[in-house]
Amino acid sequence: MAHNNLEFFFEETGSMNEEILLEPFSISGYSLFLKREDQIHSEVSGNKFRKLKYLFEDMRATHKRAILTFGGAFSNHIAATASAGKLFSIPTVGVIRGEELEPYIESNPTLQYASRCGMRLIFMSRSDYKDKDQGEVLKRYIRDLHDYYIIPEGGTSQLAVKGCSEILSDTDVEFDHVAVAVGTGGTFAGILNSLQPHQEGIGFSVLNGTFQKEILDKFSSNSKYQLTDRYNFGGYAKIDSELVRFINKFKELTNIQLDPVYTAKMMYGIMNLMKAGYFRKNSRILAIHTGGLQGINGMNLRLKSKNLPQIEI
């Protein structure tokens, strides 16, 4: 069913999250909670919901013909944008990194889902994709570019950060630390903007490096945070048997599914910091579950091809 009132939909749906005490992981006097952003919507979930909220509202106001955005083969952003486009009857176009992927839409869970939501998929060579922000490159793939409302890869922008600043609620002031996985940095910037003076933000980069500090400085004036890539397991979408075991054990103990690209690495990092004594005794820690569960099927295909253990669903 299509929704015409975007503002009402986002306001009502965005309040459907809660903080869950993770008793099996609250060790050594710490209290660890998980904010279930993954539950606010079945398809447009977590931080992608937050990032798209004001972007879709702005798109409607500009009267553009369609939304144009970018992503890789298993992109949460592509899946969420396609789903939101279907919900609001807004045409969407996804520019996908890697022209070699075009014949494999039906065997790729993310691309198949996006296509069935009505998203038009355009496959761009990897060399061109590196220069996709240059207008002349994009025009080779998209005619009448001025008709499209362009959302950057990952969705990070001023409006996206504004949406992510709404992740925390008034009751979250009771926490000492707020942790989140970091990709482009937009979600973390939004969270930093809504922290109270007594709170510290902790970002777990899922890529190699902490280059996202540039984005954080651009969109937030809050410098009370830590950002580490120590728990990225080798880089973006990289995963090994140890992390798979952690994901499966976490689900066994809590009945909560973690995604392998973002939230699992954050939770693994938090547990290590707790064991290492990073947090003061009696600290209250809030971790943000940013969704991304749609990528598990694709990750399991990759794990299977390498004869590695599967993520239990």
Side-chain angles (χ1 to χ4, degrees):
M1 179 184 296
H3 296 263
N4 291 319
N5 192 329
L6 274 71
E7 184 176 357
F8 176 78
F9 170 80
F10 279 116
E11 290 300 328
E12 288 295 303
T13 309
S15 63
M16 297 178 185
N17 59 2
E18 58 181 337
E19 298 88 355
I20 303 293
L21 175 63
L22 301 177
E23 293 187 23
F25 296 94
S26 294
I27 60 176
S28 303
Y30 305 130
S31 297
L32 177 59
F33 288 73
L34 185 66
K35 194 172 186 72
R36 299 297 306 274
E37 284 284 288
D38 60 306
Q39 291 188 326
I40 57 180
H41 193 270
S42 56
E43 286 89 30
V44 195
S45 70
N47 63 329
K48 300 307 178 186
F49 174 97
R50 303 294 183 180
K51 285 184 173 183
L52 292 174
K53 173 182 177 179
Y54 291 109
L55 290 170
F56 266 70
E57 291 179 4
D58 189 52
M59 184 270 179
R60 277 270 177 93
T62 58
H63 305 292
K64 296 287 187 177
R65 189 175 79 189
I67 283 177
L68 173 69
T69 195
F70 311 84
F74 301 102
S75 168
N76 292 326
H77 173 66
I78 287 292
T81 303
S83 180
K86 181 180 179 180
L87 277 170
F88 304 125
S89 298
I90 294 176
T92 57
V93 178
V95 177
I96 308 301
R97 180 179 65 250
E99 58 190 352
E100 74 279 0
L101 297 170
E102 187 167 4
Y104 303 103
I105 293 176
E106 291 303 311
S107 61
N108 178 297
T110 301
L111 299 181
Q112 181 189 81
Y113 174 78
S115 179
R116 292 182 179 179
C117 283
M119 175 176 272
R120 176 190 168 203
L121 300 178
I122 296 175
F123 294 85
M124 182 178 281
S125 71
R126 292 178 182 270
S127 58
D128 281 350
Y129 195 87
K130 292 178 181 179
D131 299 321
K132 65 184 182 301
D133 294 331
Q134 299 178 16
E136 62 272 16
V137 173
L138 196 52
K139 285 178 182 178
R140 295 207 298 265
Y141 294 83
I142 307 287
R143 290 186 297 178
D144 302 321
L145 196 56
H146 61 275
D147 288 339
Y148 294 87
Y149 185 90
I150 298 177
I151 298 177
E153 183 176 19
T156 291
S157 65
Q158 189 68 57
L159 289 175
V161 171
K162 178 182 177 181
C164 290
S165 70
E166 298 174 357
I167 290 175
L168 298 182
S169 63
D170 293 340
T171 60
D172 294 329
V173 298
E174 64 190 43
F175 295 102
D176 304 297
H177 306 272
V178 179
V180 69
V182 178
T184 58
T187 301
F188 195 26
I191 287 173
L192 291 179
N193 287 341
S194 55
L195 290 182
Q196 298 300 309
H198 70 278
Q199 295 178 309
E200 178 191 54
I202 306 177
F204 293 88
S205 175
V206 301
L207 297 94
N208 288 316
T210 55
F211 58 90
Q212 301 97 330
K213 289 180 179 179
E214 184 177 342
I215 293 293
L216 300 179
D217 291 342
K218 178 179 179 181
F219 292 113
S220 177
S221 60
N222 187 355
S223 60
K224 193 174 180 180
Y225 69 86
Q226 301 293 328
L227 179 62
T228 178
D229 67 346
R230 183 178 174 185
Y231 306 101
N232 68 9
F233 283 81
Y236 184 74
K238 298 291 181 63
I239 176 175
D240 61 16
S241 297
E242 182 179 2
L243 190 60
V244 172
R245 286 192 294 269
F246 177 82
I247 293 170
N248 291 338
K249 187 65 175 180
F250 188 93
K251 186 178 182 184
E252 177 187 333
L253 293 173
T254 66
N255 200 33
I256 296 173
Q257 185 81 65
L258 300 177
D259 88 284
V261 178
Y262 293 94
T263 309
K265 295 180 179 182
M266 172 196 67
M267 290 305 307
Y268 186 95
I270 291 173
M271 294 305 302
N272 273 265
L273 291 179
M274 290 170 68
K275 292 174 183 177
Y278 173 83
F279 304 103
R280 296 191 313 273
K281 294 297 182 183
N282 301 317
S283 289
R284 294 173 63 84
I285 307 155
L286 180 63
I288 310 298
H289 193 319
T290 49
L293 301 180
Q294 67 84 26
I296 293 177
N297 289 331
M299 181 61 74
N300 273 339
L301 289 176
R302 191 180 298 176
L303 292 169
K304 184 178 181 180
S305 70
K306 297 179 179 179
N307 294 316
L308 292 173
Q310 302 283 287
I311 298 167
E312 296 173 7
I313 303 176

